[in-house]
Amino acid sequence: AEQSTSETEISASSPDPVSLDEVILPDFPKNIFPSWVNDMVDAVAAATETPRELAAMNALAVLGTCCQKIFVVCPHSGYQEPVNIWGMAPMESGNRKTAVMQAMSHPLLDYECCQAEVLKPKIVQDESDRKTMEARIQTLRTHAAKSNSGDFGDKQREIADLEKALPEITRLPRLLAQDITPEKLGQLMADHGEKMTLLSDEGGLFDIFGGRYNRGIPNLDLLLQAHAGSPVRVDRGSRPSVFMNRPALTIVLSPQPDVLRGLREKPEFRGRGLLARFFYLLPRSPLGHRTLQSTPIPPSVETQYHKGVSALLEIEPPRQENGSTIPYTLTLNPKAYDEWNEFALDVETDMQEGKRFEYLKDWAGKLPGAAVRISGLLHCAEHAHKQPWAEEISLSTMNKARTLAAVFCNHALAAFDLMGEDPVLERSRKAWRWITRMQKATFTVRDCYQALKGGIPRMAELTPALALLKERHYLYDPPAEASKVGRPTQTLTVNSRLTKGW
């Protein structure tokens, strides 16, 4: 049958359909970071011929490392968020992930090395003093055991005084870890200010915390507690006890996409909320399209980046009278709060039935808090050479955080699809298989539902699947018909570019 003129015009104007297996993702926005970070992200991406998403995710890891345990963000009374973040940017091997990670994290490694040189004489002195005092204590114990009752009490008191005066051995600073077990991570964090960053271009962390060394039993408690800043109390067997009041853990990984696909076989990661805590960026691999004539990072850009990171690392949190530290509290100005609150309400609406986050409530439920964390990091980076705690988070900064959160939304939907967790896309594929099998250029939604209701039992589940097919230009609504008596029949027309050969 010949198409009507209007149908032909609509079909001819329809764009090429976008494959259901192709990920449609927005590029990482420019000028989200202040210039000293943004210039480094651009320079590293150009020097390594890699997507900006990879360097940007590592930049967030560096900012989180500098600011965790030093700052918290308080949008309103009774609610606050730490600023440590978790991120994942999967890419295939050969994409120079290691080079990007090393370039972005180099100031952190420099800081560790410089501090080690500065503290080395003090560590040597502390160890010497402690050994001397321990030898004195052992000698006193030996004499006390042989002394008469009159001398015993004096020696016992002297021993107690010496034990109280034993110097603590100064520890070399640690900011980063990589291949580590949960037990060792807890001890490392407890020894280094209750904070640590796991930075890796592989996905071995999931194997380790999924039970590689624990008979396949996942051990996720520490990770989950350290993301939220919940107290940690661990007493297990012969290992030293671990007590932390406000742990903070930053994680950024760049595993191969197959690692992400493999997580569908670990339902406890989704069930316990581990995967819901990550930001996701899925960079497009440039392999096969590189010039292999990259531009080195300009020294001036690298210098400014190092200065900015160093300035943040030098910020000390305020101390209480008992010597313990408390973080600085960052607040939002009224306009920034209104912007964040509007964003939170939008996310809440999108978790309703039939909306984009219906099957991603665990991740989306944490998104408003994630936007708060991002705003805190961007604010600290913007005021790195000043006093971040002296200024409120501005509307401009919150707008950037909201823009970045929106990008993470699209990438998260694609990431969970890789993990087999996007039922809308799967139903779209199922509907398209029925359409191609029936080879109907026009069909009713009711007929489609009747054919698929065994696998898609509710019309409310089919509707967003067909909407996705329209969004990707597989289908479109036919021209509106003249009004008819009775309930109208909803029909859809297949893009004629796809019906050739039927």
Side-chain angles (χ1 to χ4, degrees), residues 78-144:
Y79 171 48
Q80 67 178 28
E81 286 279 353
V83 294
N84 53 298
I85 60 103
W86 291 9
M88 199 184 310
M91 287 195 76
E92 298 88 349
S93 293
N95 273 290
R96 304 201 67 191
K97 297 182 293 183
T98 302
V100 173
M101 184 183 71
Q102 290 176 343
M104 298 304 298
S105 63
H106 191 254
L108 302 179
L109 298 174
D110 268 359
Y111 176 82
E112 288 184 346
C113 293
C114 290
Q115 289 297 303
E117 287 298 317
V118 170
L119 294 174
K120 186 176 180 180
K122 186 176 187 326
I123 293 173
V124 171
Q125 186 63 52
D126 287 346
E127 290 176 343
S128 176
D129 292 345
R130 188 176 181 93
K131 288 178 181 178
T132 300
M133 294 178 70
E134 286 174 342
R136 174 62 176 164
I137 290 169
Q138 185 57 46
T139 300
L140 287 172
R141 281 205 171 95
T142 302
H143 291 166

Side-chain angles (χ1 to χ4, degrees), residues 4 15 27 65 102 142 145 147 149 152 228 233 270 274 287 317 327 349 368 388 436 444 451 456 467 491 497:
S4 68
D27 293 331
T65 303
Q102 290 176 343
T142 302
S147 65
S149 57
F152 182 80
R233 299 289 184 271
R270 179 80 188 270
L274 182 77
L287 294 181
T349 301
T436 55
T444 67
I456 306 178
T491 61
R497 300 175 191 274

Side-chain angles (χ1 to χ4, degrees), residues 383-397:
H383 299 278
H385 298 287
K386 302 176 185 177
Q387 295 179 330
W389 60 90
E391 300 283 343
E392 291 181 319
I393 295 175
S394 67
L395 173 61
S396 173
T397 299

Side-chain angles (χ1 to χ4, degrees), residues 329-347:
T329 299
L330 305 176
T331 58
L332 313 182
N333 72 23
K335 290 184 178 180
Y337 173 79
D338 290 342
E339 180 75 7
W340 171 76
N341 191 56
E342 179 185 344
F343 173 72
L345 290 173
D346 288 344
V347 172

Side-chain angles (χ1 to χ4, degrees), residues 285-354:
S285 173
L287 294 181
H289 302 278
R290 297 176 298 180
T291 66
L292 304 182
Q293 296 178 352
S294 56
T295 305
I297 301 172
S300 60
V301 170
E302 196 166 12
T303 298
Q304 291 304 311
Y305 179 68
H306 277 243
K307 287 182 177 179
V309 173
S310 298
L312 289 174
L313 287 171
E314 290 170 2
I315 297 176
E316 293 285 342
R319 290 190 176 274
Q320 298 177 303
E321 292 183 359
N322 62 3
S324 62
T325 62
I326 56 173
Y328 289 106
T329 299
L330 305 176
T331 58
L332 313 182
N333 72 23
K335 290 184 178 180
Y337 173 79
D338 290 342
E339 180 75 7
W340 171 76
N341 191 56
E342 179 185 344
F343 173 72
L345 290 173
D346 288 344
V347 172
E348 189 70 21
T349 301
D350 278 345
M351 289 191 284
Q352 295 174 2
E353 183 176 331

Side-chain angles (χ1 to χ4, degrees), residues 33-301:
F33 299 110
S35 60
W36 65 270
V37 181
N38 197 72
D39 291 348
M40 186 64 176
V41 168
D42 288 343
V44 169
T48 56
E49 290 195 277
T50 54
R52 293 179 68 251
E53 288 87 347
L54 193 58
M57 187 65 89
N58 279 273
L60 286 172
V62 171
L63 294 177
T65 303
C66 295
C67 299
Q68 60 187 0
K69 290 281 288 182
I70 308 297
F71 299 96
V72 295
V73 185
C74 182
H76 58 74
S77 178
Y79 171 48
Q80 67 178 28
E81 286 279 353
V83 294
N84 53 298
I85 60 103
W86 291 9
M88 199 184 310
M91 287 195 76
E92 298 88 349
S93 293
N95 273 290
R96 304 201 67 191
K97 297 182 293 183
T98 302
V100 173
M101 184 183 71
Q102 290 176 343
M104 298 304 298
S105 63
H106 191 254
L108 302 179
L109 298 174
D110 268 359
Y111 176 82
E112 288 184 346
C113 293
C114 290
Q115 289 297 303
E117 287 298 317
V118 170
L119 294 174
K120 186 176 180 180
K122 186 176 187 326
I123 293 173
V124 171
Q125 186 63 52
D126 287 346
E127 290 176 343
S128 176
D129 292 345
R130 188 176 181 93
K131 288 178 181 178
T132 300
M133 294 178 70
E134 286 174 342
R136 174 62 176 164
I137 290 169
Q138 185 57 46
T139 300
L140 287 172
R141 281 205 171 95
T142 302
H143 291 166
K146 300 177 181 179
S147 65
N148 56 43
S149 57
D151 293 337
F152 182 80
D154 293 338
K155 287 184 171 56
Q156 193 175 35
R157 283 188 290 273
E158 187 177 355
I159 291 171
D161 291 340
L162 285 172
E163 287 178 334
K164 289 179 183 178
L166 279 173
E168 288 290 332
I169 305 298
T170 302
R171 299 182 184 277
L172 291 175
R174 281 287 300 274
L175 300 175
L176 304 174
Q178 195 171 70
D179 186 8
I180 192 169
T181 64
E183 294 77 17
K184 183 62 178 178
L185 176 61
Q187 192 62 57
L188 196 64
M189 292 177 66
D191 291 342
H192 293 86
E194 300 186 351
K195 59 183 179 179
M196 191 57 56
T197 291
L198 300 180
L199 197 59
S200 175
D201 54 2
E202 299 293 343
L205 174 74
F206 292 116
D207 291 333
I208 295 173
F209 282 80
R212 176 193 290 174
Y213 305 118
N214 195 30
R215 299 188 300 277
I217 301 174
N219 188 354
L220 307 178
D221 290 348
L222 175 61
L223 293 183
L224 302 179
Q225 291 166 311
H227 179 270
S230 301
V232 172
R233 299 289 184 271
V234 180
D235 294 287
R236 290 184 182 172
S238 59
R239 298 190 186 99
S241 297
V242 174
F243 299 140
M244 292 186 282
N245 293 321
R246 290 185 300 102
L249 180 65
T250 287
I251 304 176
V252 166
L253 309 173
S254 299
Q256 295 184 20
D258 282 345
V259 171
L260 210 58
R261 296 186 184 97
L263 295 181
R264 71 183 68 183
E265 300 174 3
K266 300 180 184 293
E268 62 276 5
F269 283 1
R270 179 80 188 270
R272 293 286 303 279
L274 182 77
L275 302 180
R277 288 164 164 79
F278 279 92
F279 299 141
Y280 295 92
L281 289 176
L282 274 63
R284 186 187 297 271
S285 173
L287 294 181
H289 302 278
R290 297 176 298 180
T291 66
L292 304 182
Q293 296 178 352
S294 56
T295 305
I297 301 172
S300 60
V301 170

